[in-house]
Amino acid sequence: MSLRLGNGENFAQQGTVDWVQLGNTTVSATVAVFARLAAANIDPLTVSVAQALSGSFILSDEGQKRIQDTLQHLVWCSSIGDAIWFGFGVEHPVRQLAKTANGLSCIALCAALSSLSNLEPGAMVLNMLVDIHHAPQALRPSLQQWGALLKACSGMLAVTKFECVTHHNMHLFGTRMRHVGRPREVAEALNAISKLSRGLLTSITLVGNATCGWLAAFGNYFFGLDVEIHLADGTMLFRTIAEGLPVQISVTYGDADDAVACQISSTTYLVHDLNDLLSTVHPLFQGRIAWHEVIQTRFGSAGRCLLNTGKTFSKLLGSAARIFAAVSKADPGVKDLMKPREKSLFSYENWIGYTDNSFGHGLIQFAVAKLPELAPLKSTMESYLECSLSQAFENYEIASINLTKVCSCSTCDINNAEEELDLLDICVYRLAESIIIIVWNLSLVDIEKSIQPTHLGLWQVYDSWACKGHEFIPKAIGDVGMLLDYLQIGTLHQVVQFLFTGFRRNGLDLLRGHVREADTRVYSEAAFTSLGFCFIQSALLNLSDRPDHHRHLAVLPGVIELQSGVQYEVVTDGHSIIEEYSAGDYQELISTTPSRSTSASALKLELLVKETMHELLVSFRFSSPKGGIGLIGPALLSRALLHSVGRVYCPRRACQVLTPPYGGIVSVDGEGAVDYKDDFRAGRSIVLSVNFPYSLAVIRGAVTGDRDMGLNNYMGCG
């Protein structure tokens, strides 16, 4: 059953809350519901007060339907063995809230506030909203409790058009720095919107920064209130209804201190920047941008200039796809064609782009499908795939140089060389490479198609790459080695966080003044959450020994929780590697031709989970009829399999059968751990399959196996 207050009374009468009645009301629910709330660190008092406040917001029929449709489209999945769950599960607290009308309004309010910035400003707004309604101290939840409720709703609206609507409204404010408005003023504006929804006010005027655009989007999307947005001088920017018809929310963009000159009619609410009062700055989330307009809408004139170069941009992207295809097959020609400095940057073993969509024709088709603005360039891009590898390197460098010639940024334009670098000065050449980086990383990610990228995150991806490039200018023009070195696991995690949350976890901690460990933790994290999204390594969901058949990350809105509902933000490798017993004799293959048969070993896979105060520790345990073989963390196992794929050249079709001697390939009699040494390194490895001769130690601390464990790229496919 749902969490119910008394007999379901509406505690908000005429826009105010009857706190005495609420304080004397019995809260009823099953023990299971209370257990779920406790597991999410949400106090029943917080839910009760939130529902009472939300009773003053009357959703339109369309707004109510939008919340219900959103809940139906939220997905969830489980790890191997169903030990860990990701997303918005069937028992998630939000689904309990949705069973009442007040609960739906509560979800709309909290989900929208969670999309405003990080959770702190939204919690402060709710705190101020309670104050506006004159709640007694005994019935006021703490900021931490408001934050827990917002966290439960965070990420929900990413699957809707709400955040695209907020972006549209805020984008009209211009390119000025955008921060969250003062909590008290935002709360007062929300209270006014609640009165509009109840018919207690006919219209309001909001004056201030881009936060007013967010407020207008909230009123329009969930309550059907018509909106107009204009500048202080009266210039009309946008209306949701025909000219001459009345609107309920009028927004005036400009300095809130000039409000007297901007007042139009009825009640006016001023929204100042939060950083006018506090030293901690909370950047405004700024919404999401539809995939079909990413390049031109987010990057403006630089994006239009890039697309107008036509053949030049096509040459760059097509050549990159050709080079990536060679790298994915460990073609030795890649390093042979690199400049000395480039060779020192790139290592085949750090490459992770093995899915069909991450190189060659697959990458170009994926790029056009994901970014339709590239569709006119498709045939030209594909023509460059037919070039030799050496020609692809040359084409990439030529295209890079030509892009710098059409760029007017202070780095590329010699006439602006002495000018101070503008933070908003977009380099067309670096933007082109940033598009390649975005497309390549997305090709390794499973995510719902309806989820759009964030306005802020697209800039973060560009800025991170542009700053790295400026360290090497002018030597780095057309530097394929630097780009290939950049495309690895750490970058994948960073780019995906930027795109779908606008931030990365370290960035948020820096904003709060905290210091975290370096990004090396990404190499031991099997899953984590950030701003309402789960980021999960695929091995945790469906272990595969073929990295070329599965994408590396799965991304979905929601939380990480155990079956009990207890939530965690991080899932980390519990073991680097532990061997439980050694394999039998092994010998180097000298004259035996490898067979195509697969292992028939009766291996058993278990996912072991251990709770700690701050994270979940997980490990895979492999065992056979002989007993346990070993323990290894999912993140390490994923990297081991990726490393094994790129160790020797394999074109993946028409491969030649290896001829003796086999260069250190060994057969092993039995599963277990073996000592192994080859040209790359020596170490201790685990063997998981035993069918001669496809059991092979691959890398130190790595898992090995038969032909379906990625070793076809070591031994040859044919």
Side-chain angles (χ1 to χ4, degrees):
M1 66 175 290
S2 61
L3 187 72
R4 293 188 178 275
L5 307 181
N7 296 318
E9 303 98 328
N10 189 344
F11 296 94
Q13 302 295 332
Q14 300 302 311
T16 62
V17 178
D18 188 336
W19 297 108
V20 175
Q21 183 185 5
L22 178 63
N24 293 324
T25 298
T26 300
V27 178
S28 62
T30 64
V31 172
V33 170
F34 283 121
R36 284 284 168 174
L37 290 175
N41 295 317
I42 301 174
D43 192 274
L45 170 65
T46 307
V47 180
S48 302
V49 173
Q51 288 193 81
L53 281 176
S54 301
S56 62
F57 291 87
I58 306 300
L59 295 173
S60 66
D61 291 342
E62 181 65 21
Q64 195 170 82
K65 183 178 184 298
R66 282 171 169 165
I67 290 294
Q68 292 169 337
D69 289 346
T70 298
L71 289 167
Q72 290 179 2
H73 286 91
L74 291 174
V75 298
W76 65 92
C77 60
S78 63
S79 68
I80 292 173
D82 295 337
I84 307 173
W85 290 80
F86 308 94
F88 286 89
V90 292
E91 299 297 330
H92 192 280
V94 166
R95 298 191 186 277
Q96 302 301 323
L97 279 174
K99 295 179 180 179
T100 65
N102 280 13
L104 288 175
S105 297
C106 180
I107 292 171
L109 177 62
C110 293
L113 283 172
S114 71
S115 73
L116 188 60
S117 180
N118 57 60
L119 298 181
E120 186 174 356
M124 295 169 71
V125 169
L126 287 173
N127 204 41
M128 290 298 174
L129 196 58
V130 169
D131 187 66
I132 290 171
H133 283 268
H134 308 293
Q137 285 295 333
L139 295 180
R140 295 191 180 194
S142 66
L143 278 178
Q144 287 183 328
Q145 274 298 304
W146 284 129
L149 182 59
L150 290 176
K151 182 180 178 181
C153 300
S154 182
M156 276 187 57
L157 298 182
V159 299
T160 72
K161 295 182 179 180
F162 172 73
E163 292 176 9
C164 289
V165 175
T166 62
H167 171 265
H168 170 268
N169 288 358
M170 291 187 285
H171 185 64
L172 298 173
F173 184 68
T175 58
R176 286 165 283 180
M177 190 63 70
R178 304 168 186 175
H179 299 109
V180 179
R182 295 178 185 176
R184 179 79 188 191
E185 295 168 350
V186 175
E188 288 175 344
L190 285 173
N191 190 46
I193 290 173
S194 76
K195 292 179 180 179
L196 287 172
S197 74
R198 298 175 67 85
L200 301 180
L201 287 176
T202 56
S203 65
I204 61 172
T205 298
L206 305 175
V207 180
N209 66 7
T211 306
C212 295
W214 178 89
L215 287 162
F218 178 68
N220 174 255
Y221 193 81
F222 292 111
F223 307 103
L225 303 174
D226 284 310
V227 171
E228 69 175 12
I229 301 175
H230 49 78
L231 299 178
D233 62 6
T235 302
M236 186 63 63
L237 301 176
F238 172 70
R239 283 178 64 95
T240 60
I241 196 170
E243 188 70 33
L245 296 177
V247 297
Q248 287 77 52
I249 301 177
S250 177
V251 173
T252 300
Y253 278 146
D255 188 345
D257 293 330
D258 297 331
V260 175
C262 303
Q263 185 169 347
I264 299 174
S265 64
S266 67
T267 306
T268 300
Y269 296 85
L270 313 182
V271 182
H272 298 79
D273 274 349
L274 175 60
N275 61 323
D276 291 345
L277 296 177
L278 303 176
S279 57
T280 301
V281 177
H282 295 281
L284 198 58
F285 181 69
Q286 303 182 43
R288 298 179 185 273
I289 301 177
W291 286 113
H292 68 268
E293 57 182 7
V294 160
I295 299 175
Q296 297 182 75
T297 298
R298 181 59 189 92
F299 298 103
S301 59
R304 290 188 289 274
C305 177
L306 176 61
L307 293 175
N308 288 337
T309 63
K311 186 176 181 180
T312 302
F313 185 30
S314 300
K315 180 183 288 188
L316 188 83
L317 212 160
S319 300
R322 171 66 180 90
I323 294 169
F324 294 167
V327 175
S328 71
K329 300 168 185 175
D331 189 333
V334 174
K335 278 216 165 186
D336 293 341
L337 291 167
M338 285 184 181
K339 300 170 185 176
R341 189 181 62 79
E342 293 179 284
K343 291 181 181 179
S344 66
L345 292 172
F346 173 67
S347 170
Y348 285 110
E349 294 184 25
N350 290 330
W351 186 254
I352 61 174
Y354 294 109
T355 66
D356 290 340
N357 287 337
S358 61
F359 59 85
H361 285 280
L363 179 63
I364 290 176
Q365 291 172 1
F366 178 81
V368 170
K370 182 60 69 174
L371 302 178
E373 291 166 294
L374 299 177
L377 311 179
K378 183 175 184 288
S379 59
T380 310
M381 288 189 289
E382 289 180 329
S383 67
Y384 288 102
L385 295 174
E386 309 306 319
C387 299
S388 65
L389 184 57
S390 60
Q391 186 63 54
F393 269 80
E394 184 178 340
N395 287 340
Y396 191 90
E397 185 170 9
I398 292 172
S400 300
I401 294 171
N402 288 339
L403 285 173
T404 64
K405 292 179 180 178
V406 301
C407 181
S408 58
C409 78
S410 54
T411 302
C412 296
D413 190 342
I414 58 174
N415 296 319
N416 297 329
E418 296 182 359
E419 293 184 8
E420 184 177 351
L421 182 63
D422 185 348
L423 291 177
L424 298 179
D425 189 16
I426 299 177
C427 174
V428 174
Y429 163 54
R430 290 300 173 195
L431 174 58
E433 290 189 318
S434 298
I435 299 301
I436 294 173
I437 291 168
I438 289 171
V439 171
W440 182 86
N441 280 282
L442 287 174
S443 72
L444 302 175
V445 176
D446 273 323
I447 188 165
E448 172 63 39
K449 292 181 180 180
S450 64
I451 298 177
Q452 314 294 327
T454 65
H455 173 98
L456 187 59
L458 288 165
W459 173 261
Q460 297 275 35
V461 174
Y462 163 79
D463 190 51
S464 296
W465 176 244
C467 289
K468 182 178 181 66
H470 287 313
E471 297 173 6
F472 296 94
I473 295 289
K475 296 181 180 179
I477 301 297
D479 190 334
V480 176
M482 189 175 78
L483 179 63
L484 294 176
D485 175 65
Y486 192 68
L487 300 178
Q488 41 92 11
I489 290 180
T491 302
L492 172 64
H493 285 239
Q494 172 181 284
V495 167
V496 173
Q497 285 182 73
F498 279 156
L499 287 177
F500 298 113
T501 71
F503 306 91
R504 60 176 177 171
R505 287 173 298 161
N506 288 26
L508 284 174
D509 290 329
L510 289 174
L511 285 172
R512 300 189 186 108
H514 301 313
V515 179
R516 281 179 60 98
E517 291 181 276
D519 287 342
T520 52
R521 285 204 62 180
V522 70
Y523 297 107
S524 63
E525 290 181 347
F528 60 89
T529 61
S530 178
L531 293 176
F533 276 82
C534 299
F535 301 85
I536 315 148
Q537 290 207 23
S538 298
L540 200 55
L541 304 176
N542 180 25
L543 181 60
S544 171
D545 48 26
R546 293 294 300 271
D548 52 324
H549 288 182
H550 296 273
R551 297 183 178 182
H552 185 71
L553 273 183
V555 180
L556 70 161
V559 298
I560 298 173
E561 60 182 6
L562 299 176
Q563 290 183 339
S564 63
V566 177
Q567 298 178 7
Y568 284 86
E569 293 190 358
V570 181
V571 180
T572 305
D573 280 0
H575 299 92
S576 55
I577 190 167
I578 294 179
E579 306 103 357
E580 298 189 8
Y581 70 84
S582 295
D585 296 335
Y586 64 96
Q587 61 183 355
E588 185 169 346
L589 297 181
I590 299 176
S591 59
T592 305
T593 301
S595 70
R596 293 171 180 258
S597 60
T598 58
S599 171
S601 175
L603 285 173
K604 180 182 179 181
L605 171 66
E606 299 172 280
L607 182 66
L608 308 182
V609 181
K610 178 181 179 181
E611 294 185 65
T612 71
M613 288 289 291
H614 304 292
E615 61 188 2
L616 288 175
L617 301 178
V618 297
S619 294
F620 287 130
R621 184 177 188 273
F622 295 93
S623 59
S624 74
K626 296 181 180 180
I629 298 174
L631 296 166
I632 186 171
L636 174 60
L637 178 56
S638 294
R639 286 181 16 243
L641 292 170
L642 287 166
H643 283 188
S644 74
V645 174
R647 293 191 44 139
V648 297
Y649 176 58
C650 174
R652 295 210 175 91
R653 58 183 178 182
C655 302
Q656 296 181 355
V657 176
L658 291 179
T659 56
Y662 295 111
I665 296 178
V666 298
S667 65
V668 183
D669 180 18
E671 306 98 339
V674 298
D675 293 313
Y676 182 71
K677 181 178 181 180
D678 65 9
D679 293 337
F680 292 90
R681 59 177 64 80
R684 189 80 165 160
S685 299
I686 290 180
V687 178
L688 291 183
S689 60
V690 298
N691 195 58
F692 178 84
Y694 277 95
S695 294
L696 174 67
V698 180
I699 64 173
R700 179 182 59 81
V703 173
T704 64
D706 65 8
R707 187 168 189 273
D708 291 328
M709 289 295 292
L711 301 184
N712 55 320
N713 290 338
Y714 196 107
M715 302 180 65
C717 301

